Amino acid sequence: MSFLISLCIVLFLISIGRNFIKKHSNFCYIITFLISISLIVLTYSGIISNAPSWLKNYILPLFSKSSLATSFFVVVMYTGALKNGSKAIKFLMPIRAQLSIIGCILALTHNIIYGRTHFVTLFTNPKSMSTNMIMASIVSILLILIMLPLMITSFPKVRKKMKAKSWKKLQQLAYPFYGLIYLHVMIIAIPLAKKGITQYIINVLAYSIVFLIYASMRIRKALLKNKVSKKKASSPIFASIIVFALVCVSIFYTPKIDKDIQSSTSLSQKDSSTEDKILNEDSENVDAEVATEIPSSQSVTYVDGTYTGTASGYNGNISIEVTVSNNTISDIKITKYVDDEPFIDEAISGVTENIINSQNTDVDTVSGATFSSKGIINAVKAALINAKG
């Protein structure tokens, strides 16, 4: 849903501000950069966790999840697929480079926000990551490696210093770049869409329609340029329809059990114990030997006070505050997280209540929010290490 909203916003901004973007491109870059820096600071400081729900759930994701950046890229890529001489291409082509640079700045914001957790964990503690998040992180790195030279060479001053042939050859990297964007989104969204979560189903279908239509248009344009018959040039359209059909099948008609994703079905007690051990051993914030020594809050003596702990969730680290009073856990507050709202909310309401009621960290995870649940449990364990008397 955020992608469709972002696409509408970008198209509206271009329709009313096309001339402004063309004449004052540097100003637009500065504004975009300042917005990006502000968002990064808010996220890193943790202030964003306490933001109003409407801001946190509907506005900030447009930036942090790269929906706006992708929408700018969509306009850029469609500009190259439009019919030469058309009104649309005449309207968009003069600001194509500017839109590309703005999209790159916003995309870097997304990677900085999520990369501080995912990229670091990928190289230091990959066992704590789900399979699809490992794949998504690797694709993100490839996207950055392609995007940076495309961004730099989009500036007019840089382009003028390059030979036309070299510049054009470099810009052909845009095609695999667009393909990797689609792949990145599908890796993250399809597993969640398969669980029937409406927003992810809409995103998968929307991205698929937009990117597959572009692919068919761009390939058809290239074929016609090479004087291929119109009948043969229509083959990419049929290919796109087949791919879209396969995407739909993967969402609605394939088994919905995947123990590696956040929204997996409940693990057996044996598997849960095994994963708890792995997370405890690998989490950068939980000492393995000590953490496994805390089966219950009543088996040791705790000093009254408020203690903090951090552990890996699904999208990144989860930080908590545990309040200890009279040798019991009286309160657990989640102070920072980057997991999606539907999952973190379920995990918070289920896990924290069970820990307080049982005075034990050996509680069940919440079905549909396994990784967020484990993150909270391990963060509590980390906090209790500091509370031991």
Side-chain angles (χ1 to χ4, degrees):
M1 185 66 75
S2 60
F3 172 61
L4 293 177
I5 294 173
S6 297
L7 194 55
C8 291
I9 292 173
V10 169
L11 292 174
F12 175 74
L13 290 175
I14 292 173
S15 65
I16 64 171
R18 181 253 193 188
N19 293 332
F20 184 86
I21 295 173
K22 182 180 178 181
K23 294 179 181 179
H24 307 284
S25 56
N26 289 333
F27 177 78
C28 294
Y29 303 152
I30 293 172
I31 293 298
T32 306
F33 178 77
L34 292 176
I35 292 174
S36 298
I37 290 297
S38 299
L39 184 58
I40 292 170
V41 171
L42 288 173
T43 303
Y44 275 43
S45 65
I47 297 176
I48 200 170
S49 298
N50 299 318
S53 58
W54 62 269
L55 179 64
K56 187 165 55 177
N57 297 335
Y58 300 105
I59 304 300
L60 295 178
L62 301 182
F63 295 90
S64 62
K65 294 189 176 181
S66 203
S67 297
L68 275 175
T70 304
S71 296
F72 276 102
F73 291 139
V74 165
V75 176
V76 172
M77 69 188 196
Y78 264 85
T79 301
L82 294 171
K83 184 179 179 181
N84 291 335
S86 64
K87 291 183 179 180
I89 202 170
K90 289 180 179 179
F91 183 83
L92 293 171
M93 190 58 77
I95 59 169
R96 192 185 187 196
Q98 290 89 329
L99 297 178
S100 176
I101 293 170
I102 292 173
C104 289
I105 295 172
L106 293 173
L108 286 173
T109 304
H110 163 75
N111 281 285
I112 291 173
I113 289 175
Y114 284 94
R116 68 166 180 161
T117 298
H118 294 311
F119 295 158
V120 173
T121 307
L122 178 66
F123 293 107
T124 61
N125 188 21
K127 290 182 180 179
S128 67
M129 300 176 71
S130 60
T131 301
N132 62 316
M133 291 311 296
I134 291 176
M135 295 172 61
S137 297
I138 293 173
V139 172
S140 290
I141 293 173
L142 294 175
L143 282 167
I144 294 172
L145 293 176
I146 296 174
M147 184 180 70
L148 289 176
L150 289 175
M151 175 185 176
I152 294 171
T153 55
S154 291
F155 286 95
K157 290 184 179 180
V158 177
R159 180 178 179 178
K160 290 178 181 179
K161 293 181 180 181
M162 296 180 65
K163 294 181 180 180
K165 188 175 181 180
S166 299
W167 182 86
K168 189 173 183 180
K169 186 175 182 180
L170 179 63
Q171 291 299 309
Q172 289 179 350
L173 289 174
Y175 300 125
F177 177 74
Y178 300 146
L180 287 172
I181 289 177
Y182 179 69
L183 178 61
H184 177 73
V185 173
M186 293 301 105
I187 289 172
I188 295 174
I190 284 183
L192 299 175
K194 287 165 66 176
K195 294 301 297 179
I197 303 175
T198 303
Q199 62 177 327
Y200 287 99
I201 293 176
I202 294 174
N203 272 347
V204 168
L205 297 179
Y207 274 100
S208 295
I209 291 172
V210 170
F211 276 79
L212 292 175
I213 288 177
Y214 161 74
S216 62
M217 288 176 60
R218 192 65 188 87
I219 296 173
R220 186 174 187 272
K221 183 177 180 179
L223 292 174
L224 290 175
K225 184 178 180 180
N226 293 328
K227 299 181 179 179
V228 174
S229 66
K230 290 186 178 182
K231 185 176 181 180
K232 290 184 178 180
S234 298
S235 57
I237 298 176
F238 296 107
S240 296
I241 292 174
I242 292 173
V243 173
F244 181 72
L246 291 175
V247 171
C248 292
V249 169
S250 71
I251 297 175
F252 299 107
Y253 296 101
T254 54
K256 296 182 178 181
I257 299 177
D258 185 350
K259 66 181 180 180
D260 285 331
I261 63 171
Q262 164 81 353
S263 53
S264 62
T265 54
S266 296
L267 297 171
S268 65
Q269 187 63 39
K270 180 178 179 181
D271 288 339
S272 292
S273 299
T274 301
E275 289 202 14
D276 278 333
K277 183 178 179 181
I278 291 174
L279 287 172
N280 287 337
E281 290 174 348
D282 293 327
S283 174
E284 62 182 1
N285 300 292
V286 181
D287 181 84
E289 295 181 0
V290 180
T292 54
E293 292 175 0
I294 309 177
S296 168
S297 63
Q298 296 177 342
S299 63
V300 294
T301 300
Y302 297 119
V303 178
D304 288 359
T306 300
Y307 304 91
T308 61
T310 301
S312 178
Y314 181 65
N315 281 332
N317 288 338
I318 297 174
S319 297
I320 57 95
E321 287 183 353
V322 176
T323 300
V324 176
S325 178
N326 297 323
N327 200 39
T328 60
I329 301 172
S330 59
D331 189 28
I332 299 173
K333 292 182 179 179
I334 312 299
T335 57
K336 294 182 182 180
Y337 63 87
V338 292
D339 287 6
D340 290 339
E341 288 292 337
F343 306 117
I344 193 67
D345 287 344
E346 290 182 17
I348 291 172
S349 60
V351 173
T352 57
E353 182 178 349
N354 288 339
I355 290 176
I356 293 174
N357 289 339
S358 65
Q359 291 297 301
N360 196 322
T361 54
D362 186 17
V363 297
D364 292 333
T365 59
V366 176
S367 178
T370 304
F371 282 90
S372 291
S373 299
K374 290 183 181 298
I376 294 173
I377 292 170
N378 286 320
V380 172
K381 289 180 180 180
L384 291 178
I385 291 174
N386 299 322
K388 290 177 65 176

